[in-house]
Amino acid sequence: MVEQKAAVAMMEIEQSELNRVSEAFGYNLISTSRLTGGYASSNFAAVLRPRSGDAGELTAVLKFSYAAMPREEIEHQLTVLRALERHGFATNYLLPKLAAAPEAGLCDRYLVTAEDGGGPWVILVTFCAGTAGDKLLASAAAPVEGAMLESLGRNLAQLHAIPWEVGAVRDIRCGYPVCNTGELLDPSAAGVSGSLDQLPDHPFVAFLRAPRAKI
């Protein structure tokens, strides 16, 4: 069985809403362009200028997660992104609301909601211009491809070496947000006839069997 990546639904975001959330983060919105390829949710590269002070413009990413997403999911994302930044893992880092107090909670510092207090949930993260990795790999010569995959492996190893507090990050066997891995390993799921104990010996299977396997 080959698992296919789910299609990413694009939300239409009105210009007035882009302006509103930018202002909620403390910025005036200068311009936006939609981002695709390698991005989940609906994302916009936004050129922003702080509403107060003489600071210059910056480009960041406005990430709109879907309204149907439970609030616990976005809170989990905030927890993971803050932990990755503290451990120096290279990724998009959260940018706080300019008016938020440093000691404020995660949601108060980093989350903008719809006007009714619900979803879609919006966070602001740093932006790095580039090309999606799958496109680079598809066009790379063999030596370059090998170097890229080695680099990817090193970064994945660094990611898995990060120590997580117990309960801070979900077990991979829950199946979400790690695609539907958990469903594929669930013996009650359609098309699955076994359990972890019946899977062939493999280092990744051993990792899944470990009582404290975390992502």
XYZ file of all heavy atoms in Angstrom, residues 4 17 28 42 57 81 125 130 134 145 147 152 156 161 165-166 169-170 190 197 213-214:
164
model
N -0.691 8.253 0.146
C -0.555 9.509 -0.557
C -0.818 10.674 0.390
O -1.662 10.591 1.279
C -1.539 9.582 -1.733
C -1.234 8.575 -2.832
C -2.149 8.759 -4.019
O -3.176 9.414 -3.929
N -1.772 8.187 -5.138
N -9.140 40.899 6.199
C -8.732 39.991 7.267
C -7.210 39.934 7.379
O -6.664 39.875 8.484
C -9.307 38.593 7.016
C -8.971 37.565 8.087
C -9.599 37.870 9.444
O -10.306 38.885 9.577
O -9.370 37.076 10.379
N 1.578 47.137 10.304
C 0.818 47.510 9.115
C 1.259 46.598 7.979
O 2.457 46.337 7.809
C 1.073 48.965 8.737
C 0.432 49.929 9.711
O -0.683 49.696 10.191
N 1.124 51.018 10.021
N -2.985 27.675 5.130
C -2.943 28.732 4.123
C -1.939 29.768 4.599
O -2.075 30.330 5.688
C -4.326 29.362 3.946
O -5.205 28.428 3.338
N 10.965 47.614 7.563
C 10.072 46.534 7.169
C 10.733 45.176 7.382
O 11.962 45.058 7.416
C 9.701 46.687 5.690
C 8.930 47.966 5.389
C 8.657 48.131 3.904
O 9.104 47.261 3.119
O 8.025 49.133 3.517
N 7.007 24.506 18.509
C 7.835 25.521 17.858
C 8.696 26.276 18.860
O 9.870 26.582 18.593
C 6.954 26.492 17.070
C 6.360 25.926 15.781
C 5.340 26.887 15.190
C 7.456 25.646 14.757
N 5.378 33.694 11.733
C 6.677 33.044 11.882
C 7.683 33.655 10.914
O 7.317 34.325 9.946
C 6.585 31.510 11.630
C 5.678 30.845 12.646
C 6.112 31.211 10.214
N 13.305 30.515 -0.553
C 13.993 29.350 -1.087
C 13.088 28.520 -1.960
O 11.967 28.918 -2.294
N 11.752 19.017 -2.362
C 11.446 17.984 -3.353
C 11.769 18.462 -4.764
O 12.224 17.673 -5.607
C 9.987 17.533 -3.239
C 8.997 18.682 -3.457
O 9.389 19.854 -3.296
O 7.838 18.393 -3.788
N 22.504 15.455 -5.018
C 21.390 14.775 -4.370
C 21.870 14.046 -3.124
O 21.239 14.102 -2.063
C 20.738 13.788 -5.339
C 19.552 13.036 -4.732
C 18.988 12.018 -5.705
O 19.752 11.516 -6.554
O 17.790 11.721 -5.609
N 24.495 14.720 -1.258
C 24.841 15.693 -0.221
C 23.590 16.249 0.453
O 23.561 16.446 1.678
C 25.668 16.825 -0.825
N 19.850 16.278 5.099
C 18.522 16.016 5.642
C 18.605 15.004 6.776
O 17.976 15.172 7.833
C 17.598 15.502 4.534
C 16.189 15.088 4.950
C 15.441 16.262 5.557
C 15.427 14.532 3.751
N 17.422 15.511 10.651
C 16.436 14.641 11.292
C 17.002 14.029 12.567
O 16.309 13.899 13.584
C 15.994 13.549 10.321
C 15.065 13.985 9.188
C 14.841 12.847 8.207
C 13.741 14.489 9.737
N 17.051 14.033 18.532
C 17.897 14.077 19.728
C 17.430 15.123 20.729
O 17.931 15.169 21.851
C 19.349 14.352 19.333
N 10.000 17.219 27.318
C 9.378 16.952 28.603
C 8.283 15.904 28.422
O 7.592 15.880 27.403
C 8.769 18.225 29.180
C 9.788 19.303 29.513
C 9.116 20.548 30.060
O 7.906 20.478 30.357
O 9.804 21.575 30.175
N 8.133 15.039 29.419
C 7.105 14.002 29.344
C 5.736 14.656 29.176
O 5.366 15.561 29.920
C 7.122 13.129 30.611
C 5.967 12.125 30.577
C 8.455 12.412 30.738
N 4.992 16.414 23.990
C 4.822 16.076 22.581
C 4.176 14.705 22.499
O 4.480 13.805 23.264
C 6.182 16.070 21.857
C 6.005 15.737 20.384
C 6.858 17.423 22.008
N 3.290 14.547 21.532
C 2.541 13.297 21.412
C 3.414 12.128 21.003
O 4.382 12.281 20.274
C 1.419 13.470 20.385
C 0.397 14.509 20.755
C -0.734 14.449 19.742
N -1.718 15.465 20.017
C -1.731 16.653 19.431
N -0.825 16.942 18.526
N -2.651 17.536 19.732
N -8.926 -0.470 8.967
C -9.172 -1.176 7.710
C -7.866 -1.425 6.974
O -7.028 -0.542 6.840
C -10.115 -0.343 6.842
N 3.778 -5.921 17.330
C 4.509 -7.167 17.593
C 4.616 -8.043 16.352
O 5.478 -8.912 16.276
C 3.814 -7.955 18.713
C 3.883 -7.217 20.045
O 4.848 -6.443 20.225
O 2.985 -7.412 20.876
N 8.702 6.296 23.074
C 8.978 6.850 21.750
C 8.220 8.150 21.561
O 7.020 8.205 21.700
C 8.584 5.856 20.665
N 8.948 9.189 21.252
C 8.357 10.505 21.082
C 8.812 11.119 19.783
O 9.833 10.720 19.216
C 8.759 11.443 22.226
C 8.316 10.971 23.622
C 6.841 11.101 23.808
C 6.408 10.654 25.193
N 4.967 10.786 25.385
